[in-house]
Amino acid sequence: MLGETEVRGLSSHLGAVVRENQQHHENLQDLLEKFQGLLQSYNELKSDYEEEKEAREKYKRLARGQERNPFALVLVDGDGYIFKEHLIKKGPEGGIAAARLLSDTIKELLHERLGYLGDQCRIMVRIYSNILGLSKTMARAGLVGNEARSLSPFASSFTRAQELFDYVDAGDKKEGADYKIREMFRLFADNNQCKHIFFAGCHDAGYLSLLTPYQGSADRITLLRSGSFHPEYQSLGLPVRELPSVFMSTPFGGTPSNPPSPSKPVCKHFQKGICKYGNECSKLHIMPNQQFSKNVEETHQVPLRDQTYYAKNLPAINAKSEEFIAVNKDGDRVDTYCPQPPQDAWELYNRRAKRHKLCNKYHLGGECGDMACEYDHSHIDGSALNVMRYILRQHPCSRGATCRAIKCYLGHICQKDLCKGTKPCRFPRQAHTLELRVSQWLTPVDQHDIHESPISENSVNSTTDPNNTFSYLMKGILD
């Protein structure tokens, strides 16, 4: 029979076994719970992985599809780029020959720029011109007949000669071809299937702002030189090529035997390329072989001001400009300098605006009185803020130069590079001719209805894809 001591020992040992068994049970339960958690996390990660894998495969399929039909785009302003005289004189046959010459020449340039990839590209050509006006001009030169649209047979044959070649009549409205070319460029500038763009519009400085966001993009854009080439295009850092076998190398018509006298003297320094006054020169800037016409006079009725001029004469955004209104000697409001933002800033802004449209009143005006405002009030990057400021400055303030509201974020002068003061610019002529030097800084006036304007808050807060940023909202904002 067991003694009392042995019974107590067995009881103690049994208690220890029970406690160990209980601890073991608890450890097992804890292990099972952790395993269950790991298994759930694994399933979630697996699901995320499958979704990511599926998205990646879709992207690869899309990318392969975009690589399947590569092409190069040739954009031509036919009002400034004239085919060789012997081609025009041949009529329909000349149109076919012109298409073949242009195709062969572009293929050579493509091979030079892209190598083997260039050989795989099809060539798309879009020529836009005022066929009625051009026919009249060519008829006077004896290149075509005297019919109303005597250039049409040449244009039609050019279009039929190649599948992707089109010679388009842009109508007889002023700058009709310009609108078409700008929209076509924006459509294809960042298209993956479009491997290169040959731009033939360098006779007109109005296209400079269109190409400025792509300066230095030699792998994407080549400029084509023709009869006249605006020197400002050299500053874009883009390759320049000439097609002497296709387009005339001198301005069409040359100098007339009895040209009308210009309303002001011609600048001889400009003709030599050494005029130090630039766009502020009081004399007329035309080349020696350039035909003087009413159009030349019209383009100089409004002084052409470039970004260098605005940067030099407009006040900068600083603490003073945020408290006072800058005016010139005539008491007209002078805006602070607002240059066109770089491409990366546009992309940053678009990404942000696509997530949640930004509130203009809050970010640009400093406050938003709408307690139920649907737009984003959270902090934004400085470069994105510059894009917002630039966009709104393209909209003229209804008060014009008399506006004295410090929180007005609309434009009071036109800061568009080399703007002629014609459509599509929305600013009145006065906004292109104001004296820009600041005479004094005035205390602002509280004008509560300052934001009344033709644009709505909803439309300005809208956005589209980065390849065509706000073109739907402001035709010509980057023109």
Side-chain angles (χ1 to χ4, degrees):
M1 189 170 180
L2 298 175
E4 185 177 350
T5 302
E6 292 176 315
V7 171
R8 283 199 302 268
L10 287 173
S11 177
S12 177
H13 181 67
L14 180 60
V17 170
V18 171
R19 286 192 297 272
E20 289 177 2
N21 186 55
Q22 182 65 29
Q23 184 65 42
H24 175 72
H25 177 74
E26 293 175 356
N27 291 340
L28 182 60
Q29 286 296 113
D30 184 56
L31 182 61
L32 289 173
E33 290 176 2
K34 289 181 179 179
F35 175 76
Q36 194 67 28
L38 286 173
L39 185 61
Q40 183 177 353
S41 298
Y42 168 78
N43 289 330
E44 292 175 355
L45 288 173
K46 182 180 179 181
S47 176
D48 293 341
Y49 170 76
E50 293 296 336
E51 291 179 2
E52 184 68 24
K53 182 180 178 181
E54 182 180 358
R56 189 176 303 152
E57 290 301 320
K58 286 183 179 179
Y59 175 79
K60 288 180 179 180
R61 289 194 296 270
L62 178 62
R64 285 194 294 269
Q66 292 177 337
E67 293 296 329
R68 259 200 296 269
N69 295 303
F71 66 91
L73 175 65
V74 184
L75 271 179
V76 182
D77 187 328
D79 293 332
Y81 284 65
I82 309 299
F83 284 100
K84 303 289 283 189
E85 290 187 10
H86 72 276
L87 297 172
I88 299 292
K89 287 182 177 180
K90 289 182 179 180
E93 294 181 3
I96 296 174
R100 185 185 67 251
L101 281 171
L102 182 58
S103 177
D104 293 343
T105 308
I106 293 298
K107 285 179 180 178
E108 292 177 5
L109 293 179
L110 266 178
H111 182 78
E112 172 192 324
R113 302 302 306 168
L114 304 178
Y116 172 77
L117 177 59
D119 298 335
Q120 310 303 311
C121 292
R122 302 179 72 187
I123 298 174
M124 178 189 295
V125 176
R126 294 291 183 270
I127 301 178
Y128 298 96
S129 70
N130 174 5
I131 288 185
L132 178 61
L134 203 54
S135 297
K136 293 179 181 179
T137 303
M138 289 184 174
R140 288 194 293 268
L143 300 183
V144 296
N146 293 317
E147 298 84 5
R149 297 180 181 272
S150 48
L151 186 62
S152 293
F154 175 92
S156 298
S157 296
F158 180 93
T159 299
R160 291 194 302 268
Q162 303 272 351
E163 292 178 352
L164 297 180
F165 281 37
D166 287 305
Y167 196 123
V168 182
D169 183 1
D172 56 358
K173 297 296 183 182
K174 189 176 182 180
E175 297 187 354
D178 298 29
Y179 301 145
K180 296 287 188 180
I181 290 173
R182 291 187 186 107
E183 292 308 314
M184 284 293 291
F185 180 87
R186 290 172 181 143
L187 181 63
F188 291 107
D190 297 303
N191 184 297
N192 288 334
Q193 288 177 276
C194 181
K195 301 304 178 184
H196 206 79
I197 295 178
F198 294 91
F199 187 83
C202 303
H203 66 295
D204 186 350
Y207 294 119
L208 277 168
S209 56
L210 176 70
L211 296 173
T212 297
Y214 298 90
Q215 58 185 354
S217 302
D219 60 325
R220 292 287 298 161
I221 302 170
T222 293
L223 305 179
L224 299 181
R225 184 193 298 271
S226 183
S228 58
F229 185 85
H230 199 284
E232 289 290 332
Y233 283 95
Q234 297 284 4
S235 64
L236 296 178
L238 298 173
V240 180
R241 296 292 183 269
E242 192 167 356
L243 308 183
S245 64
V246 181
F247 299 114
M248 293 185 184
S249 300
T250 57
F252 176 63
T255 304
S257 56
N258 294 303
S261 300
S263 59
K264 53 184 177 179
V266 175
C267 178
K268 302 298 183 182
H269 297 288
F270 174 80
Q271 296 183 345
K272 297 177 182 179
I274 56 175
C275 180
K276 65 180 180 180
Y277 296 105
N279 293 324
E280 293 303 302
C281 182
S282 61
K283 297 182 179 180
L284 194 61
H285 281 191
I286 59 174
M287 298 306 293
N289 58 354
Q290 182 176 349
Q291 180 176 355
F292 183 82
S293 65
K294 291 182 179 180
N295 287 338
V296 175
E297 282 191 298
E298 288 173 1
T299 58
H300 285 80
Q301 288 179 354
V302 171
L304 297 182
R305 297 169 170 176
D306 58 16
Q307 289 302 307
T308 302
Y309 180 83
Y310 291 126
K312 177 181 178 182
N313 291 282
L314 291 178
I317 298 175
N318 52 35
K320 189 172 186 179
S321 67
E322 293 178 353
E323 295 184 18
F324 300 97
I325 302 293
V327 297
N328 61 18
K329 60 183 178 60
D330 300 316
D332 299 318
R333 178 165 180 165
V334 178
D335 286 334
T336 53
Y337 178 53
C338 187
Q340 180 172 306
Q343 185 69 17
D344 56 350
W346 286 98
E347 294 173 354
L348 175 64
Y349 175 80
N350 279 319
R351 288 195 299 268
R352 176 63 184 274
K354 280 184 177 180
R355 295 198 305 267
H356 191 174
K357 297 173 185 177
L358 301 167
C359 178
N360 299 316
K361 291 182 179 179
Y362 179 82
H363 292 291
L364 294 175
E367 61 181 359
C368 176
D370 185 0
M371 298 300 293
C373 180
E374 61 181 298
Y375 301 112
D376 190 358
H377 288 190
S378 60
H379 175 75
I380 63 172
D381 185 86
S383 58
L385 185 64
N386 289 337
V387 173
M388 291 183 67
R389 183 179 291 110
Y390 177 81
I391 293 171
L392 272 297
R393 286 289 181 86
Q394 308 306 309
H395 289 277
C397 172
S398 59
R399 299 178 186 272
T402 64
C403 178
R404 295 294 183 266
I406 194 66
K407 294 181 180 179
C408 179
Y409 42 71
L410 303 178
H412 307 90
I413 62 171
C414 177
Q415 296 189 44
K416 197 179 300 181
D417 194 46
L418 299 172
C419 183
K420 300 175 183 178
T422 57
K423 292 183 178 180
C425 182
R426 297 184 174 188
F427 286 87
R429 185 181 186 279
Q430 182 188 17
H432 299 82
T433 60
L434 289 179
E435 168 64 50
L436 302 186
R437 294 180 181 86
V438 177
S439 175
Q440 58 180 319
W441 293 84
L442 302 180
T443 301
V445 177
D446 185 16
Q447 296 171 309
H448 295 291
D449 58 340
I450 193 62
H451 296 305
E452 292 179 356
S453 66
I455 58 174
S456 67
E457 186 74 15
N458 184 54
S459 65
V460 177
N461 276 300
S462 301
T463 185
T464 57
D465 64 279
N467 298 339
N468 195 22
T469 306
F470 294 102
S471 63
Y472 76 101
L473 173 62
M474 293 174 286
K475 295 293 185 185
I477 183 174
L478 301 178
D479 298 341

